[in-house]
Amino acid sequence: MYRRLRDLREDNDLKQRQLAEVLHVSQTTYSRYESGAIDIPSDALIKLADFYGVSTDYLLGRSDK
C-alpha cells in the first residue's frame, strides 16, 4: 500500500507537503503514512482515494484497477 501512495504522488509531481495540506496533517505525519511508520486513518485513506480518483481497494493493494 505504501509504495502505491508514493508512486501516485510522484507520478503526479506532488510533494509530501502538498498531500499533507490536502489531508490537514503535518508533512511529518504524511511522511509516516507513506513510509508505513503509522497507519493511515480511514478518513485520510478515503480523501486520498478521492484525490487521486482511485478506489480505497487500489490504495490498500486489494485491486490493481
Side-chain angles (χ1 to χ4, degrees):
M1 167 174 72
Y2 308 108
R3 172 74 183 201
R4 288 190 178 187
L5 287 176
R6 188 183 77 210
D7 288 347
L8 282 167
R9 179 178 56 78
E10 290 176 349
D11 289 348
N12 286 279
D13 296 320
L14 297 167
K15 305 276 187 206
Q16 287 183 345
R17 176 187 48 78
Q18 293 170 293
L19 272 294
E21 289 173 6
V22 168
L23 299 176
H24 304 287
V25 298
S26 70
Q27 184 274 326
T28 302
T29 297
Y30 180 81
S31 176
R32 290 178 179 162
Y33 291 164
E34 201 172 277
S35 70
I38 58 175
D39 289 332
I40 303 171
S42 57
D43 63 321
L45 191 66
I46 292 167
K47 282 183 185 179
L48 287 169
D50 290 344
F51 180 82
Y52 287 122
V54 298
S55 69
T56 54
D57 280 346
Y58 177 80
L59 292 178
L60 294 169
R62 297 176 44 120
S63 169
D64 288 329
K65 297 180 183 181

